[in-house]
Amino acid sequence: MRFVVPSDAVSWVDYPEDSPFPIQNIPFGVYWSEELNGPRPCTAIGEYGVDLLLLANSGLIDYPDSDAATASLDGLLQVGRETISSLRKRLYDLFEEDNAELQDDHDLQSLAFFELEQAQMMHPFTVKSFVDFYSGIHHASNVGKMFRPDQPPLLPNYRWIPIGYNGRASSVVASGTEIGRPQGQTKGPNDDSPTFGPTKEMDFELEMGFVTCRENPLGRTIAIEAAEESIAGLVIVNDWSARDIQRWEYQPLGPFLAKSFATTISPWLITLDALEPFRIEGMKQDPEPLANLATTGKPHFDVQLEVLIQTSNSTKPQRICQSNMKNLYWSPSQQLTHQASNGTNIQVGDLYASGTISGESDDSCGSMLELSWRGQRPIEIRETGETRTFLEDGDTVIIRALCQGNGFQIGFGEAVGRIVATSS
């Protein structure tokens, strides 16, 4: 089952035209209930969150009945994409302007509805495994130009396979979690030996990620045409990076401490059904992928992205980057198919990040490394006159994602993190 809400659908719930959570969205998240003193799964409509367990207890919806389902989206992911689509269709019916079931039940509304602005959103699901891809071709080209100036920007394998590495699932954190400045070894080009201490090149990475909702046992592969059946939806990802630590440690096996200290995700899971109207073909792949990675139709998504930074001295955030998910060379379905192509098992709740999504212009670079071009072009904070080449303690990074429809927009919430000093 696939269900796309009509673009002209109207809800009885009143919300502004520019709401990120119109009836066309219906995302899934987890909030902290003060009354019940615990985390609860929810959806969002306009300016309100809606407790899914209270709707289920009233008999209006079917929701997975398990311990995991009461405290996270784990139970919902476990039942698979078809059931998630069915639940989303039922919620649409309840919110649609001509449906009186919930509209006329003011007692249930008073219990189940809460103001999103006041809500404490939680980590939405248990991350079983975390993989970070490198599918932003403009980012990969920029990094190649910086660090391999005498060679082609892209290595020979880049256009043949989705490059990635297995990250650390245990350090994926909820939006709003403070990020401690990591420590590690660094070595300057003229230093005789490395030193240990806090990173001096703290960075963000503008990424999107998808979440799996189907198990694939060890030894099995996933066909490219079936890959999306295992994808529940997308979240915003900020895969924080310590560039100086990374530079010293990444050869020959790739990132380790420079990446594993924290990864921030947004609180809302936006389903592929909600993103269906925003499908695009994506950029042309040259050479054509091998047969196991060859796609047809529109496997990419038109998702507008922006990054804002607010220093401890400024009163409001300043946008420093605008990009788009269409800047990915490899699609989510290709990424998942490639991950499973060697027979590795896929779990429900795996998180796969896209890699840094940079565009072609200077203001579309998805990291401080590129925006400041390795520290050579400081970014000015206009309100205070400060400059940044990399992130300093007290800086808050905000990543937003949005799909612009005809008369509505699909929002993802925010992935927010504030840098704090190293803790011993």
Side-chain angles (χ1 to χ4, degrees):
M1 173 184 175
R2 298 290 174 268
F3 176 66
V4 179
V5 178
S7 62
D8 59 352
V10 178
S11 174
W12 55 266
V13 180
D14 187 36
Y15 52 78
E17 187 174 325
D18 62 351
S19 170
F21 303 118
I23 194 172
Q24 288 82 5
N25 194 341
I26 311 182
F28 295 102
V30 175
Y31 81 108
W32 182 268
S33 170
E34 293 292 343
E35 291 78 9
L36 299 171
N37 193 34
R40 308 268 290 187
C42 63
T43 187
I45 180 77
E47 298 173 331
Y48 298 98
V50 185
D51 190 306
L52 294 176
L53 296 186
L54 288 175
L55 295 188
N57 293 340
S58 71
L60 287 181
I61 65 171
D62 291 325
Y63 196 80
D65 184 16
S66 68
D67 291 339
T70 63
S72 70
L73 297 182
D74 292 359
L76 184 61
L77 293 174
Q78 193 71 43
V79 298
R81 189 176 168 191
E82 184 171 342
T83 302
I84 295 171
S85 293
S86 297
L87 174 59
R88 186 170 171 274
K89 169 64 166 63
R90 175 56 179 157
L91 290 169
Y92 161 77
D93 291 339
L94 291 174
F95 295 143
E96 200 270 329
E97 64 175 343
D98 295 329
N99 191 313
E101 293 176 88
L102 181 56
Q103 184 175 181
D104 291 348
D105 193 337
H106 300 291
D107 290 339
L108 180 56
Q109 286 181 44
S110 66
L111 294 173
F113 279 59
F114 58 92
E115 294 185 12
L116 284 178
E117 188 175 350
Q118 305 299 323
Q120 180 184 353
M121 299 302 296
M122 309 294 292
H123 203 305
F125 59 93
T126 303
V127 179
K128 298 292 183 60
S129 296
F130 171 54
V131 171
D132 187 28
F133 282 100
Y134 196 49
S135 295
I137 192 169
H138 304 303
H139 170 72
S141 297
N142 286 336
V143 172
K145 291 173 185 176
M146 284 185 219
F147 295 103
R148 298 184 303 274
D150 299 327
Q151 304 175 41
L154 297 177
L155 294 173
N157 60 354
Y158 189 88
R159 293 179 181 270
W160 288 103
I161 56 173
I163 305 300
Y165 70 95
N166 285 286
R168 190 162 181 81
S170 61
S171 56
V172 177
V173 299
S175 177
T177 304
E178 290 187 335
I179 307 300
R181 182 175 295 273
Q183 299 187 89
Q185 284 192 17
T186 60
K187 183 180 180 297
N190 300 318
D191 294 340
D192 293 330
S193 61
T195 58
F196 181 83
T199 177
K200 297 181 178 65
E201 298 183 7
M202 184 70 172
D203 203 354
F204 67 86
E205 288 192 339
L206 168 60
E207 306 192 29
M208 295 294 290
F210 65 84
V211 184
T212 54
C213 59
R214 175 185 283 185
E215 291 185 357
N216 200 57
L218 191 67
R220 298 277 184 87
T221 61
I222 296 177
I224 187 70
E225 59 270 14
E228 286 192 358
E229 297 303 312
S230 298
I231 299 176
L234 305 185
V235 295
I236 303 170
V237 176
N238 181 352
D239 194 30
W240 303 93
S241 298
R243 299 298 184 186
D244 45 359
I245 297 174
Q246 183 177 355
R247 222 170 19 250
W248 173 237
E249 73 175 5
Y250 84 101
Q251 296 182 1
L253 295 181
F256 189 52
L257 298 183
K259 295 278 195 174
S260 62
F261 61 94
T263 300
T264 298
I265 63 172
S266 53
W268 295 103
L269 177 68
I270 309 302
T271 65
L272 291 192
D273 289 2
L275 298 175
E276 195 68 28
F278 308 98
R279 285 188 178 274
I280 57 175
E281 292 182 7
M283 66 178 66
K284 179 177 174 57
Q285 294 182 311
D286 183 22
E288 291 186 5
L290 298 181
N292 71 308
L293 292 176
T295 58
T296 59
K298 299 179 178 180
H300 289 265
F301 300 94
D302 181 5
V303 182
Q304 301 171 29
L305 308 169
E306 66 173 1
V307 181
L308 304 94
I309 183 173
Q310 182 170 350
T311 72
S312 57
N313 295 319
S314 56
T315 61
K316 57 185 178 181
Q318 174 180 313
R319 186 172 64 200
I320 59 173
C321 165
Q322 283 184 289
S323 187
N324 193 295
M325 203 173 167
K326 66 184 179 182
N327 289 310
L328 290 176
Y329 189 78
W330 297 100
S331 69
S333 56
Q334 289 174 316
Q335 292 170 345
L336 183 58
T337 296
H338 179 62
Q339 168 70 95
S341 64
N342 69 344
T344 187
N345 53 313
I346 306 300
Q347 304 171 98
V348 172
D350 285 354
L351 173 65
Y352 294 85
S354 61
T356 304
I357 307 175
S358 297
E360 297 182 83
S361 62
D362 290 345
D363 62 353
S364 64
C365 292
S367 67
M368 296 292 287
L369 177 70
E370 299 165 88
L371 287 167
S372 72
W373 203 256
R374 207 177 175 182
Q376 298 174 25
R377 303 189 304 230
I379 300 166
E380 182 182 2
I381 307 301
R382 294 185 294 272
E383 180 186 353
T384 63
E386 299 170 90
T387 60
R388 291 288 186 274
T389 53
F390 290 96
L391 299 172
E392 297 185 7
D393 293 347
D395 290 348
T396 298
V397 175
I398 305 163
I399 301 181
R400 297 171 180 163
L402 186 73
C403 298
Q404 185 59 58
N406 183 17
F408 69 96
Q409 55 187 17
I410 301 294
F412 286 72
E414 298 179 337
V416 181
R418 179 174 176 268
I419 309 301
V420 296
T422 300
S423 59
S424 56

